[in-house]
Amino acid sequence: MIDTVEIEPLTAPPDAVVSVPGSRSISNRALVCAALARGTSVISGLLRSEDTEAMLECLTDLGIGWRQLDETTVEVSGCGGRLPPGPRSLYTRLSGTTSRFVTAMCALGDGDYTIDAAAPMRTRPMGVLVDALGSLGVEVTSTSGRLPLVVHAGGLGGGRVDVSGDVSSQFLSALLLVSPCAAGPLRVEVTGELKSRPYVQMTRSVMAAFGAEAEVPKGYRATEYSVEPDASTACYFWAAAAICGGRVRVEGLGPTSLQGDVGFVDVLERMGCVVDREERAITVRGPSRLGATEVDLADISDQAPTFAVVAGFAEGRSRARGIGFIRRKESDRIAAVVEGLGRIGVTASEEPDGFLVEGKPDGNGTHGGSIRTFDDHRIAMSFALAGLRRSGVRIEDPGCVAKTFPGFFEALDQMRAP
């Protein structure tokens, strides 16, 4: 029997100040930098989710010491860029960032490091990173460039390596993260169009906070680091304001955030929302009626499902483009959103690099339905927003949100009038 949760519609437009947990993407990058640093680092504001738990477990299995100081703060004893020797076995669960980052980290060690993951993660590509490490002299054995794999490490020398940028920016980030610990300068060249460019900029910013510069072999220094709130998570609540015609303020995030997903409020603004940007807070006010738009989401691709649901309640035809690569995420996110919209009465169609949505202004003509999530946290959280406006929306396998935000459905209650 499939576990489901039915979303209770709001009885009034939201007027809320919402707290969101720390950034998943920043958390895992900070953990890698702290693990490779000389000395002991303290990371506060850390997201606690399946993805970060996977990273922390891998650090333990790699022989990196850490301890929890409070619910969102950890102390990490770095290895100075030299991992304890293998053989060691790592399990990355469903985490793409953990899988890619620890594979590159293992190249810094000595001996065999086996990396495996849950079945869905085993289907996701790793070949770009396997090939890149191979060209740097690191032997990696795998089947068709996917997990499980074994890194036969003997240290990472310098050199030059070409990395395709059109599959996932995580491969590039993985190599940048380990480059300060290489024996010599390691230069990474991107071939093709770089997708999700803001995530690479985020990687460089987190590295700089730990005293390192990409491609320069000077190592990391321990530091105290505070993780800012998760912009990808904040987008669900800003989108709720758009769909339901209310006001939602998220504190701790501003226009200068490290996270590119804050740019989703620009999309909402184009659809008629009023956006107030402060140095450390962003407020979105939904319009009386949303308008359609066409947008290239290549740099904020995690928001494609959220955009699809918002577009379902807008007047006119909306198009998302530049995101053909999201077919290789936790699910085929283009097919998943088109199916999900159809299940609530919204006509949508797939395109090679995105999708079209024929909006239902104010939700007129939409109806309830059961949403298949394909074990994809972003499909679950995005379509839950439709349930705030239309009764009868049911989310299958709601537990998949634990990957990035275990308390998501409870947080939705922050939208409700007291």
Side-chain angles (χ1 to χ4, degrees):
M1 184 176 181
I2 299 175
D3 184 26
T4 64
V5 63
E6 183 165 337
I7 308 301
E8 180 184 349
L10 299 183
T11 58
D15 187 6
V17 178
V18 176
S19 297
V20 299
S23 163
R24 181 268 305 258
S25 298
I26 295 177
S27 291
N28 271 356
R29 284 163 172 79
L31 286 171
V32 171
C33 294
L36 296 177
R38 299 180 299 272
T40 300
S41 298
V42 175
I43 303 173
S44 59
L46 191 78
L47 173 69
R48 300 311 296 262
S49 69
E50 286 193 355
D51 272 19
T52 51
E53 293 295 336
M55 178 64 79
L56 286 166
E57 288 175 5
C58 285
L59 295 187
T60 297
D61 293 337
L62 283 170
I64 306 294
W66 65 273
R67 66 188 182 102
Q68 189 166 334
L69 302 182
D70 62 36
E71 186 176 355
T72 60
T73 306
V74 297
E75 181 183 83
V76 181
S77 300
C79 68
R82 294 296 175 261
L83 294 182
R88 294 178 182 270
S89 295
L90 312 178
Y91 183 71
T92 61
R93 302 193 191 186
L94 290 166
S95 177
T97 54
T98 303
S99 300
R100 279 77 182 252
F101 293 176
V102 301
T103 296
M105 287 176 68
C106 288
L108 300 170
D110 184 24
D112 290 349
Y113 300 81
T114 301
I115 302 158
D116 200 359
M121 184 62 220
R122 284 181 166 188
T123 69
R124 296 177 65 184
M126 293 285 290
V128 172
L129 184 56
V130 169
D131 292 344
L133 291 174
S135 71
L136 291 169
V138 180
E139 182 185 357
V140 182
T141 57
S142 68
T143 301
S144 302
R146 286 179 165 78
L147 296 173
L149 56 78
V150 181
V151 179
H152 307 282
L156 183 62
R160 179 185 181 277
V161 60
D162 292 336
V163 177
S164 173
D166 60 0
V167 178
S168 172
S169 65
Q170 290 175 5
F171 302 128
L172 174 56
S173 286
L175 293 167
L176 294 177
L177 283 166
V178 300
S179 64
C181 302
L186 195 165
R187 183 167 182 80
V188 185
E189 296 286 347
V190 178
T191 61
E193 182 182 359
L194 177 59
K195 303 295 186 182
S196 302
R197 185 179 299 272
Y199 284 99
V200 178
Q201 297 168 342
M202 176 197 298
T203 299
R204 292 181 180 274
S205 294
V206 177
M207 292 173 65
F210 284 82
E213 183 179 348
E215 306 172 337
V216 178
K218 293 184 178 180
Y220 291 98
R221 65 168 182 264
T223 192
E224 295 186 2
Y225 187 84
S226 179
V227 177
E228 66 184 31
D230 195 299
S232 300
T233 296
C235 289
Y236 300 116
F237 299 97
W238 289 323
I243 292 170
C244 300
R247 181 192 75 95
V248 172
R249 175 184 174 90
V250 177
E251 297 182 336
L253 287 169
T256 59
S257 166
L258 297 182
Q259 302 168 77
D261 277 8
V262 294
F264 185 64
V265 298
D266 300 338
V267 178
L268 296 178
E269 197 168 44
R270 288 168 56 176
M271 300 179 80
C273 294
V274 174
V275 179
D276 295 327
R277 300 170 180 84
E278 303 171 45
E279 183 178 357
R280 295 288 296 165
I282 296 177
T283 302
V284 172
R285 293 176 173 84
S288 57
R289 175 166 286 192
L290 285 164
T293 192
E294 178 174 336
V295 62
D296 187 328
L297 294 176
D299 283 344
I300 54 171
S301 62
D302 280 347
Q303 296 314 311
T306 314
F307 172 73
V309 174
V310 175
F313 290 84
E315 183 173 20
R317 172 184 290 179
S318 293
R319 171 181 275 117
R321 50 183 168 79
I323 51 172
F325 61 97
I326 70 172
R327 293 186 183 275
R328 299 184 295 272
K329 295 287 190 176
E330 284 85 340
S331 68
D332 179 341
R333 286 182 176 163
I334 292 176
V337 298
V338 168
E339 177 188 295
L341 289 172
R343 289 187 171 212
I344 60 173
V346 176
T347 299
S349 58
E350 299 181 33
E351 294 193 322
D353 71 338
F355 50 78
L356 287 173
V357 179
E358 303 288 349
K360 301 275 191 178
D362 305 321
N364 295 324
T366 60
H367 52 71
S370 186
I371 304 299
R372 291 201 298 168
T373 58
F374 304 96
D375 204 23
D376 190 334
H377 56 129
R378 302 225 177 269
I379 300 300
M381 291 188 279
S382 297
F383 277 90
L385 303 178
L388 297 177
R389 186 68 187 263
R390 179 63 60 221
S391 63
V393 175
R394 299 177 302 281
I395 305 299
E396 298 179 6
D397 187 24
C400 66
V401 302
K403 178 175 171 64
T404 50
F405 192 4
F408 172 75
F409 292 104
E410 292 76 13
L412 276 189
D413 290 336
Q414 297 180 59
M415 302 285 98
R416 306 186 189 282

